[in-house]
Amino acid sequence: MTVLVAGRFELDVATPCVMGILNVTADSFSGDGRLDHAAAIAHGRAMLRDGARILDVGGESTRPGAAPVDEAEELHRVIPVIEALAAEGACVSVDTMKPSVMREAIAAGASMINDVNALQTPGAVGVAAASNAAVCLMHMQGEPATMQTAPAYADVVTEIRAFLQRRASACIDAGIDKRGIVVDPGIGFGKTPAHNLALLRRLDALAALGFPLLVGISRKATLGLITGREVGERAAASVAAALAAAVRGARILRVHDVRETVDALAVWNAIEPWPASSPSRTTEQ
Ligand code: 9MG
């Protein structure tokens, strides 16, 4: 499957593409949050100029221990940003766990739902099925407040693969178009660094599910552990990890450092073309 249908967009995911992270929060783990709408919109435009194919707009931080945000505040943060960028032609994803925010975001022009809870909140699958938005189903063990306390798996790859297959099947049974489903192992969400590295090494097993695979490792703690660098100094480590993920089958890289990642993917492709080697593109239907 090489095309991802997301609202009015058809994204060619035969080759890897970049999703730019647009946090409209005060407390993003990577320190990149922007509560000012105009600044967030300007940053979104800059990421599009740098080559992002999708912008992932979020108003509630999911970093370990982050304070929850209520629905009204989350809507206030994300809707104006989604409206503005979608009206300019961007393929916008909304990063939320709340069905009500999903619904309003789609009405504001979002073409994709990125749910770190894999649409398990009651009502979430129904909202997605009633729209033509794509969905990203991410694995998380536990919940953001406590997920890093003691993550444990018998076999992390097998368990996460089975979870993603179950969630994708539930979505298809509920009427979600299978051409709009993306799966994601959820690097850092209820996982130790060893779990994260095991998953990155075996992304091929997750890609084999047949859905485009999204990986988000940008600036995360595992990279800090490997390099000894603070969160703001992890761009090179993030690019290296994104490339390694792409080589193993990831087709959407969720990143902060869009320009650097797009350039690295282009250079890799020039040297060693991706298996299905056509230039990545996004078209509006
Ligand atoms: C919101 N968010 C933070 N990290 C993420 C990741 O790795 N994947 C997805 N889909 N969303 C994420």
Side-chain angles (χ1 to χ4, degrees):
M1 189 179 300
T2 56
V3 169
L4 173 68
V5 177
R8 63 188 200 273
F9 297 94
E10 284 191 0
L11 284 97
D12 181 346
V13 287
T15 57
C17 68
V18 164
M19 167 189 263
I21 299 171
L22 190 43
N23 287 321
V24 196
T25 58
D27 60 348
S28 156
F29 89 97
S30 64
D32 66 317
R34 291 167 184 78
L35 272 177
D36 175 62
H37 290 148
I41 293 164
H43 186 58
R45 289 182 186 134
M47 290 196 289
L48 292 170
R49 282 196 302 275
D50 285 343
R53 291 285 151 82
I54 309 169
L55 297 176
D56 191 34
V57 179
E60 179 175 46
S61 174
T62 49
R63 72 180 165 78
V69 170
D70 70 28
E71 177 191 320
E73 175 62 18
E74 196 177 334
L75 287 168
H76 166 74
R77 290 180 183 186
V78 300
I79 296 301
V81 177
I82 292 171
E83 251 165 14
L85 293 167
E88 292 175 14
C91 180
V92 179
S93 159
V94 60
D95 159 19
T96 186
M97 293 184 271
K98 296 187 184 73
S100 55
V101 176
M102 295 171 190
R103 190 182 302 108
E104 295 299 318
I106 290 164
S111 301
M112 182 165 176
I113 298 166
N114 174 29
D115 183 2
V116 300
N117 196 33
L119 301 183
Q120 293 177 101
T121 308
V125 169
V127 171
S131 77
N132 57 2
V135 297
C136 177
L137 306 172
M138 198 200 80
H139 176 273
M140 166 168 60
Q141 187 179 81
E143 52 191 50
T146 52
M147 64 190 178
Q148 290 307 107
T149 308
Y153 301 84
D155 177 339
V156 67
V157 176
T158 307
E159 285 173 45
I160 288 176
R161 184 188 150 108
F163 170 85
L164 294 174
Q165 179 65 73
R166 272 199 311 280
R167 292 307 302 149
S169 297
C171 287
I172 292 167
D173 290 349
I176 294 176
D177 184 346
K178 67 171 183 254
R179 298 171 306 158
I181 294 178
V182 172
V183 296
D184 179 348
I187 300 296
F189 283 80
K191 283 133 196 138
T192 63
H195 293 140
N196 293 326
L197 293 173
L199 285 163
L200 288 166
R201 287 188 195 104
R202 290 303 322 280
L203 286 179
D204 61 312
L206 304 180
L209 289 171
F211 302 100
L213 185 61
L214 186 151
V215 169
I217 186 171
S218 185
R219 301 187 187 173
K220 286 188 179 172
T222 296
L223 302 179
L225 192 77
I226 295 169
T227 61
R229 302 221 178 265
E230 292 303 318
V231 71
E233 297 176 340
R234 296 177 191 160
S238 301
V239 171
L243 261 189
V247 169
R248 285 162 178 76
R251 285 300 172 257
I252 304 175
L253 288 321
R254 184 180 182 277
V255 306
H256 299 87
D257 303 293
V258 169
R259 184 188 306 198
E260 293 81 353
T261 312
V262 167
D263 286 358
L265 291 170
V267 170
W268 185 280
N269 188 44
I271 297 167
E272 187 163 346
W274 311 104
S277 181
S278 58
S280 185
R281 70 187 163 82
T282 305
T283 53
E284 269 187 75
Q285 289 175 320

